[in-house]
Amino acid sequence: EMLRIAEFLGVEVDRELLPSMVKACTFEEMHKNAEKVAPLNGVLWEGGGKSFVFKGTNQRWVGVLSDSQVEAYLEKARKELPAECAKWLENGSK
């Protein structure tokens, strides 16, 4: 996924650094370093960065948002994002 994004952005990736870059982006590493990787070092979240980097699962919003909130999000996503981007944002790279 990193290489695909780098190619899209036109960024060269040092292949020797790729394994350490991939490891740094795993949920486990981000959770371990949550205070460093969370926006503003996690100060906006009760519980700090570990509350921001929490479970590492997709679609935790299911059952939390009302039907009208979900529809408002989908409508905004359709207006603002290319279809592939909206799909990735909702489901990841599956």
Side-chain angles (χ1 to χ4, degrees):
E1 196 70 8
M2 281 185 164
L3 293 175
R4 188 176 70 78
I5 293 169
E7 181 180 343
F8 175 80
L9 296 173
V11 175
E12 288 193 36
V13 174
D14 183 336
R15 299 293 177 132
E16 289 184 25
L17 295 177
L18 190 60
S20 63
M21 291 166 55
V22 170
K23 182 181 180 200
C25 291
T26 63
F27 176 78
E28 292 77 16
E29 288 294 312
M30 289 193 300
H31 189 70
K32 184 168 58 176
N33 297 296
E35 302 305 324
K36 294 178 187 173
V37 300
L40 298 176
N41 301 100
V43 298
L44 299 177
W45 288 268
E46 186 177 320
K50 292 211 186 287
S51 295
F52 179 75
V53 183
F54 187 57
K55 287 189 177 183
T57 57
N58 289 336
Q59 297 189 341
R60 287 183 35 229
W61 53 268
V62 173
V64 174
L65 302 176
S66 69
D67 290 345
S68 63
Q69 289 172 316
V70 171
E71 188 52 44
Y73 162 78
L74 292 173
E75 182 179 330
K76 182 74 169 173
R78 281 190 293 266
K79 285 182 183 176
E80 302 290 334
L81 303 171
E84 284 298 309
C85 180
K87 180 181 171 188
W88 179 86
L89 188 60
E90 186 175 341
N91 301 304
S93 62
K94 295 179 186 177

